[in-house]
């Protein structure tokens, strides 16, 4: 909540929206605009909140991390300024859209912690519900000479558009009488023409075809598409264009601040012209909505174009839209990201007018900062090597324990047994140690082997090791010191440099662990038209059979842990079975990329 605002007391934005974690959101240019509009009373209207934003996805794919930025911005403004944010499906493209996408988009927005409900009312809208209104407004524009039916071929239309620096040429149909355009438009609706035969275009001004802004050159308003729509079925064979639909939908819904990405800057003159013209015609009340542009999110090591994401799914590079390597919301969720970490990330990257790249480590950092204080700890051995405690009796066990969370003693302790045979990480033994290596090293001549502490257990000394016929180390032998158990009097008398994680071989849970990494090796996989598939990271997924401390058998889907020294892991929401979780690595403990 920003300070010193007069309406602070009637704070009741979208009821269910969870507040962003951490401190109050940092300010940005959009907030500054909203605050000045609030102070000036720009959008004061009876019975309506002073700030109404919208998130307008096209239901033609899954939401990704770029959309999360827009969601956090739009819903965040509503939350922080006693406003309201609509979820609106921009569904004017019948061929590409589907109910499947509508459903997953709703799920993803909710999962991110936002709601389009306010005071018990849902604010879920579909542009397709406005088709009749949009049509009526188009007839009005034709009658007023603000639009005409163009019957040029697609080639002529493209040719006559001119280009940057070259003015366009008026269509020979531009000055046909309004009555003729109106009849043609009605016949287009009635299905008398084939796709592409005619098109409805705006005429913003007499010399619009010479405008230096290409999008002002008689933009298309309607095209003929004999296609089935996922909501309106076969009711329509003409469909409104995005540039026409969007401003009108905003105005119908009383949107105050219509936020979009920078590439729509050039579309703003048309946006303003359209809503002003229609407001003059009595279709909307003033003030009309205003469009503001912000920089889209470009995140390194991912692609966010829906077309490219779809290509990865279709050719089997990933297992689906929810593959944990995908930057989709469903992918990030399955990977183990929390909604709070994504909100935190969006707070941190802020909102500006300057395009740039955000490094993947910023997203991973937000995740670590979110999970560190709340993820229970556990021990996992990902690349197991047998450790045999030769002087520990076979078949016996001693209970060891450690805190569930080092900073939250109230969460209690977890216990696990110490037994004669344990699993340690392969990298914790070196036959010929390098300088400064403080883990297991064997005795050499009359030099004893190294002494290390088995974390939360005993101090042990390396006494030897076994190799198989190929020369691979297959077991390490140690002796333990009975009076060295962690937490018992005298344990501190043993001074050792190494502190090694382990699990008991007798009771460990064997589990599949998926070590995910970035999907691309190149920080900007598709920049400059690069072939993003040529820079795939071949090691983006490594699957290991790991040994986990026994309590992990109770892990349930979506439960997150910090596996000590390895990173953050989540029980996979798709493949985990009761008693048999499968884990995904969300991220490592530290940013080790490129180091
Ligand atoms: P694509 O071009 O890959 O199909 P899109 O941007 O057209 O994606 P929409 O469903 O139209 O996808 O997007 C819905 C909203 O999300 C829009 O308001 C758009 O500006 C915003 N958005 C999409 N991608 C990003 C991004 N990378 N950063 C910020 N906002 C984004
Ligand atoms: Mg779009």
């Amino acid at each position: 909540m920003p300070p010193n605002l007069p309406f602070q007391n009637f704070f009741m934005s979208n009821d269910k929206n969870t507040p962003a974690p951490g401190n109050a959101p940092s300010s940005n240019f959009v907030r500054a605009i909203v605050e000045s509009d609030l102070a000036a009373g720009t959008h004061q209207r009876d019975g309506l909140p002073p700030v109404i934003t919208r998130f307008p996805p096209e239901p033609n794919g899954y939401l990704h991390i770029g959309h999360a930025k827009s969601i956090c911005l739009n819903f965040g403004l509503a939350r922080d300024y006693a406003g309201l944010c609509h979820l609106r499906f921009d569904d004017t493209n019948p061929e590409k859209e589907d109910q499947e996408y509508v459903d997953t988009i709703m799920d993803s927005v909710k999962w991110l912690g936002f709601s389009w409900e306010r005071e018990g009312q849902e604010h879920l809208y579909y542009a397709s519900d406005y088709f009749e209104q949009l049509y009526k407004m188009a007839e009005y524009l034709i009658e007023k000479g603000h639009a005409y039916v163009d019957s040029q071929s697609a080639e002529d239309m493209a040719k006559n558009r001119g280009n940057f620096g070259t003015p366009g040429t008026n269509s020979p149909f531009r000055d046909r009488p309004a009555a003729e355009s109106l009849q043609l438009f009605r016949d287009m609706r009635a299905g008398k023409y084939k796709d592409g035969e005619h098109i409805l275009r705006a005429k913003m001004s007499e010399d619009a075809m010479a405008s230096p802004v290409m999008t002002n050159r008689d933009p298309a308003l309607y095209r003929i598409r004999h296609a089935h729509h996922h909501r309106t079925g076969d009711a329509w064979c003409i469909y409104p264009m995005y540039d026409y639909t969007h401003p009108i939908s905003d105005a119908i819904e009383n949107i105050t601040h219509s936020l979009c990405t920078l590439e729509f800057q050039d579309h703003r003159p048309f946006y303003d012209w359209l809503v002003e013209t229609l407001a003059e015609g009595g279709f909307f009340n003033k003030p009309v909505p205003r469009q503001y542009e912000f920089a889209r999110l470009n995140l390194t090591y991912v692609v966010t174009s829906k077309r490219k994401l779809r290509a990865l799914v279709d050719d089997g590079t990933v297992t689906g839209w929810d593959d944990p390597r995908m930057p989709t919301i469903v992918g990030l969720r399955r990977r183990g990201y929390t909604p709070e970490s994504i909100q935190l990330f969006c707070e941190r990257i802020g909102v500006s007018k300057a395009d740039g790249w955000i490094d993947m480590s910023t997203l991973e950092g937000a995740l670590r900062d979110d999970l560190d204080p709340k993820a229970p700890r556990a021990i996992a051995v990902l690349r197991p090597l047998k450790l045999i405690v030769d002087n520990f009796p076979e078949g016996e066990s001693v209970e060891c324990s450690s805190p569930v969370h080092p900073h939250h003693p109230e969460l209690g302790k977890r216990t696990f047994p110490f037994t004669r045979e344990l699993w340690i990480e392969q990298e914790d033994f070196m036959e010929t140690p390098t300088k400064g290596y403080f883990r297991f090293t064997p005795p050499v001549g009359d030099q004893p082997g190294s002494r290390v502490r088995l974390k939360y257990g005993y101090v042990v000394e390396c006494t030897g090791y076994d190799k198989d016929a190929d020369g691979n180390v297959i077991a390490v032998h140690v002796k333990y010191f009975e009076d060295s158990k962690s937490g018992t009097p005298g344990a501190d008398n043993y001074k050792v440099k190494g502190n090694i994680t382990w699990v008991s071989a007798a009771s460990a849970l064997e589990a599949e662990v998926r070590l995910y990494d970035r999907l691309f090796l190149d920080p900007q996989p598709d920049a400059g038209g690069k072939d993003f598939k040529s820079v795939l990271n071949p090691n983006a997924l490594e699957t290991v059979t790991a040994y986990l401390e026994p309590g992990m058998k109770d892990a349930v889907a979506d439960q997150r842990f910090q596996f000590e020294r390895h990173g953050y892991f989540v029980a996979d929401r798709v493949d985990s079975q009761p008693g048999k979780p499968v884990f995904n690595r969300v991220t490592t403990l530290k940013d080790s990329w490129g180091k």
Side-chain angles (χ1 to χ4, degrees), residues 438-459:
F438 296 123
R439 290 170 268 173
F440 286 110
T441 59
V444 182
D446 54 7
Q447 188 87 8
S450 64
R451 275 189 189 186
V452 303
R453 174 168 294 284
L454 291 167
K455 207 171 176 187
Y456 315 119
Y458 294 91
V459 171

Side-chain angles (χ1 to χ4, degrees), residues 161-207:
R161 242 185 125 222
N163 52 45
F164 197 75
T166 318
T169 311
N170 285 357
S171 161
F173 303 97
R174 198 172 196 256
D175 293 317
R176 74 182 357 153
E180 187 181 317
S181 278
L182 192 59
Q183 191 54 50
L184 281 165
F185 188 51
R186 288 180 176 160
D187 289 345
M188 281 164 65
R189 177 179 184 170
K192 294 192 183 165
Y193 301 109
K194 292 198 286 289
D195 287 9
E197 257 187 281
H198 302 286
I199 188 164
L200 184 71
R201 298 177 78 177
K203 197 199 284 185
M204 289 171 70
S205 66
E206 281 313 314
D207 59 356

Side-chain angles (χ1 to χ4, degrees), residues 17 22 58 79 157 170 173 191 245 295 312 330-331 339 435 468 511 561:
N17 291 341
E58 184 179 351
R79 175 193 62 211
M157 221 175 295
N170 285 357
F173 303 97
T245 311
L312 295 170
V330 287
K435 198 162 172 281
D468 65 12
F561 299 90

Side-chain angles (χ1 to χ4, degrees), residues 55-58 64 66-67 69-70 261 294 296-297 304-306:
F55 173 64
E58 184 179 351
H64 53 63
H67 293 115
K69 175 175 178 177
S70 177
T261 42
F294 64 96
R296 66 191 293 116
L297 169 65
T304 51
S305 143
K306 282 179 208 160

